[in-house]
Amino acid sequence: MGTGNGAAVSFHPVLVTTWQQAPTLNSISATSGSAADLRHLLGHQFLSSSLHIRLAISSPDLLLLFLNHQPSQNSLITSSTVTANEASPHLRCLYFPPSSSRSNLSLRPISADLSQGILRCPLQPHGFLVSVGGGGGEIAAPPVLPWPWDSLAYESLLDGRDNSTIVFAKGLNLRPGRLSDPSRYECVFGWDFARPRFLITSNALSAAQEIVRCRTPLSVLRRHSAVAAEERPVMVSVKDRARGVPHILPSVARPVLIPRDGADGGEQEGKHQMCVCTMLRNQARFLTEWITYHGRIGVGRWFIYDNNSDDAIEETLRGMPEYNVTRHAWPWVKAQEAGFAHCALRARASCQWVAFIDVDEFLYLPSPGLSLQEVLSNYTTSFPQIAELRTACHTFGPSGHRVAPPEGVTVGYTCRTSAPERHKSIVRPEALSTSLINVVHHFHLKEGFRYVNMDRATMVINHYKYQAWEVFKEKFYRRVATYVADWQDEENVGSKDRAPGLGTKPVEPPNWPSRFCDVKDPGLRNRVLRIFTDPTTGQLPW
């Protein structure tokens, strides 16, 4: 193959093992036209003479390529997205048959998160190696063999309050909702996990679900600021010492310092009284109504964890500059609980209370004159031992609609089931257990704190779960929660997380528009129309 300037390039496919980074072998020169275009597209972080793939992860429905990249120490995992259409003139996902040095398949990427060096590609054929190339088919990085998605240290945070490192990792096989024996795990810090002499280990303090917390070695703490500015910041992984041969998980995790407030003891002054964390995939069309409504009732900040959306979510958010919304790239499949734990830690410095709700869920206070601020202030000042408000959910059905109502979900859907669903939680992030255990929006609390079940006459969540079929069927694609079965899976068919009687196939039942309708409940609809309707045009803001 040739480069953009005509110089011949030879290479051999590179197999990325469980711990090695992909070496750079005869990559396209920095003066190559297509390589220069590629680096221009991906940003100034790729102005070095070559490009390589640190790790390729094969998830159930897409391929994640992690390119050489330096995340900022103090940044959230906020990113700017390039869509497939924007990237396609310059960038291709290349696929190589086993034992072949030539790509026989070139596809447009799905999307790219530039600040994170993440490229999303269509899944590779079984056994194929993958690489990145220019629009003319030139290879910009040595091919690598993707690693399975379910064995990986994928995120990490540094908690300065107790000098601990939190590592989020798949492949530990820890049970949901329970503490595990931390003595079998270690955190491993270093730049090259293939060279044990240069690794630093630290015993685990806690282990639960996909989260291991370790004491941060002093050498890592001292050098963290300097390392973050170097070409290769320190990485961290998890070692399972209980196996016959100690096993270090492959890793793309580089510890990021959790923001700290001015007062380490939990000072509330200057914090938002109420924030919201959510995880979503391709829900951009519902965000304007959801954010606008919750902003009106008292939410001050939103943390949106984006699970590989490709529906121009950033364009929607740019159109709402008056709201304090941060989008976080969260490419990890089946990692909602870990994402919520990650978000709770990030929100601790700026939020007194954090609600963990989905984009189809709306907090509603039925009592006239009662505000969210009053409810939260009451518990903040009068009941400081209460750290979790468990709020029941009312499940709304299609309410006769065959297509999505143009006036939005809060006005369009007014018929619900009679029995409430399980609760969702509003928590004080300061009071969460250091294990960060949470299952389906419910967190474990530190000793001395407790929860309260909210009276449904005071506060409830309207969950627009079973919408018009064209919306609901999108749920069959993939569920984001670790401990909730996908719709297509023949397991837990009777679970409350499924539509009763629907089964596992995305086929519309003949009576879908009239289902889940036991009680007419226009309460939130009437309030929304009264508060948000433009008196001149009669239109709602979304």
Side-chain angles (χ1 to χ4, degrees):
M1 293 186 182
T3 64
N5 59 11
V9 173
S10 62
F11 69 94
H12 298 286
V14 177
L15 173 65
V16 177
T17 68
T18 62
W19 37 256
Q20 288 179 317
Q21 294 188 14
T24 303
L25 299 178
N26 300 320
S27 298
I28 294 177
S29 166
T31 59
S32 164
S34 62
D37 289 343
L38 181 62
R39 285 191 294 276
H40 175 73
L41 173 69
L42 294 178
H44 296 293
Q45 64 265 36
F46 297 128
L47 292 177
S48 60
S49 61
S50 60
L51 172 70
H52 68 263
I53 300 170
R54 290 198 289 116
L55 197 64
I57 303 297
S58 180
S59 74
D61 49 21
L62 55 80
L63 178 68
L64 296 170
L65 301 184
F66 295 86
L67 310 177
N68 55 337
H69 169 66
Q70 301 175 40
S72 170
Q73 170 191 346
N74 295 314
S75 68
L76 298 174
I77 51 174
T78 306
S79 58
S80 57
T81 299
V82 170
T83 66
N85 288 334
E86 293 168 328
S88 60
H90 307 275
L91 193 59
R92 288 292 188 276
C93 304
L94 304 180
Y95 305 83
F96 297 76
S99 304
S100 173
S101 62
R102 291 183 177 274
S103 166
N104 68 354
L105 182 62
S106 172
L107 299 176
R108 283 171 28 179
I110 298 170
S111 65
D113 279 299
L114 305 188
S115 69
Q116 292 299 293
I118 299 174
L119 182 69
R120 300 183 183 90
C121 294
L123 273 178
Q124 78 284 0
H126 180 70
F128 274 48
L129 281 72
V130 297
S131 184
V132 180
E138 302 87 352
I139 301 171
V144 300
L145 183 65
W147 186 261
W149 72 285
D150 53 359
S151 181
L152 177 73
Y154 55 89
E155 292 283 351
S156 179
L157 293 171
L158 287 179
D159 192 343
R161 291 191 177 183
D162 60 2
N163 291 337
S164 65
T165 297
I166 301 97
V167 184
F168 300 86
K170 288 186 175 293
L172 302 176
N173 298 319
L174 304 182
R175 299 182 66 180
R178 296 188 182 183
L179 286 169
S180 298
D181 180 7
S183 66
R184 64 178 288 176
Y185 300 104
E186 288 180 336
C187 293
V188 183
F189 300 81
W191 291 265
D192 185 351
F193 292 164
R195 304 173 69 184
R197 289 175 51 199
F198 299 97
L199 299 180
I200 303 171
T201 61
S202 176
N203 293 335
L205 301 172
S206 65
Q209 298 180 177
E210 293 186 4
I211 304 173
V212 174
R213 185 189 288 263
C214 298
R215 183 73 62 195
T216 307
L218 287 177
S219 57
V220 174
L221 283 173
R222 289 171 184 151
R223 296 195 61 193
H224 183 263
S225 296
V227 168
E230 293 178 359
E231 182 179 354
R232 290 195 302 161
V234 68
M235 298 185 70
V236 63
S237 188
V238 176
K239 179 194 292 185
D240 186 347
R241 298 190 299 190
R243 299 190 182 188
V245 177
H247 173 68
I248 300 177
L249 291 175
S251 176
V252 291
R254 303 185 187 276
V256 176
L257 186 65
I258 298 172
R260 297 176 64 178
D261 51 4
D264 216 27
E267 177 65 42
Q268 301 299 310
E269 185 177 353
K271 292 186 177 183
H272 298 286
Q273 186 184 42
M274 175 74 162
C275 301
V276 168
C277 283
T278 195
M279 185 174 293
L280 55 77
R281 179 186 173 102
N282 291 340
Q283 298 289 301
R285 60 174 167 160
F286 301 111
L287 280 175
T288 302
E289 178 181 6
W290 186 74
I291 292 173
T292 302
Y293 170 81
H294 285 102
R296 183 62 177 266
I297 69 169
V299 172
R301 184 172 182 184
W302 293 257
F303 297 86
I304 295 179
Y305 277 51
D306 183 2
N307 194 215
N308 296 311
S309 296
D310 55 13
D311 61 348
I313 179 175
E314 286 211 330
E315 183 177 340
T316 298
L317 297 179
R318 281 195 296 269
M320 308 181 71
E322 66 273 31
Y323 297 100
N324 189 351
V325 184
T326 308
R327 171 187 169 270
H328 309 275
W330 190 259
W332 318 113
V333 178
K334 287 288 188 178
Q336 184 184 47
E337 290 79 8
F340 282 173
H342 190 281
C343 186
L345 288 171
R346 303 298 312 208
R348 189 180 62 190
S350 57
C351 306
Q352 296 181 31
W353 295 87
V354 181
F356 294 86
I357 59 176
D358 298 331
V359 177
D360 60 356
E361 296 171 337
F362 289 72
L363 285 166
Y364 173 43
L365 290 86
S367 300
L370 183 63
S371 70
L372 180 62
Q373 291 90 335
E374 290 171 329
V375 172
L376 297 179
S377 295
N378 179 48
Y379 285 103
T380 300
T381 57
S382 302
F383 303 96
Q385 75 279 16
I386 300 297
E388 180 184 13
L389 309 180
R390 296 186 174 183
T391 308
C393 299
H394 282 156
T395 302
F396 282 72
S399 306
H401 291 283
R402 296 187 178 276
V403 296
E407 62 272 29
V409 299
T410 54
V411 173
Y413 299 114
T414 58
C415 203
R416 62 172 175 83
T417 58
S418 55
E421 283 184 344
R422 62 170 151 225
H423 68 270
K424 293 295 178 76
S425 295
I426 304 173
V427 303
R428 299 179 196 254
E430 299 277 358
L432 298 184
S433 165
T434 56
S435 69
L436 299 172
I437 289 177
N438 68 99
V439 181
V440 194
H441 307 246
H442 162 58
F443 279 87
H444 286 198
L445 304 175
K446 293 177 181 177
E447 186 176 353
F449 292 96
R450 61 186 182 88
Y451 68 86
V452 64
N453 292 313
M454 298 299 296
D455 189 303
R456 279 182 280 161
T458 300
M459 185 163 60
V460 72
I461 290 175
N462 279 12
H463 184 185
Y464 300 99
K465 182 176 182 179
Y466 305 125
Q467 299 186 30
W469 182 258
E470 67 170 6
V471 176
F472 181 81
K473 69 180 180 181
E474 295 175 2
K475 291 189 176 184
F476 281 86
Y477 186 63
R478 173 166 51 78
R479 310 290 285 275
V480 298
T482 308
Y483 307 108
V484 176
D486 286 335
W487 292 93
Q488 303 97 321
D489 293 344
E490 296 284 351
E491 60 180 88
N492 299 328
V493 177
S495 168
K496 292 182 179 180
D497 293 306
R498 295 180 177 271
L502 182 62
T504 60
K505 306 297 181 184
V507 178
E508 181 179 2
N511 63 338
W512 182 261
S514 61
R515 295 184 68 179
F516 315 107
C517 186
D518 303 326
V519 178
K520 288 285 187 180
D521 185 354
L524 184 54
R525 171 189 181 274
N526 295 339
R527 183 167 298 182
V528 165
L529 288 175
R530 183 173 66 254
I531 295 174
F532 289 99
T533 301
D534 188 300
T536 302
T537 65
Q539 300 295 310
L540 294 167
W542 47 82

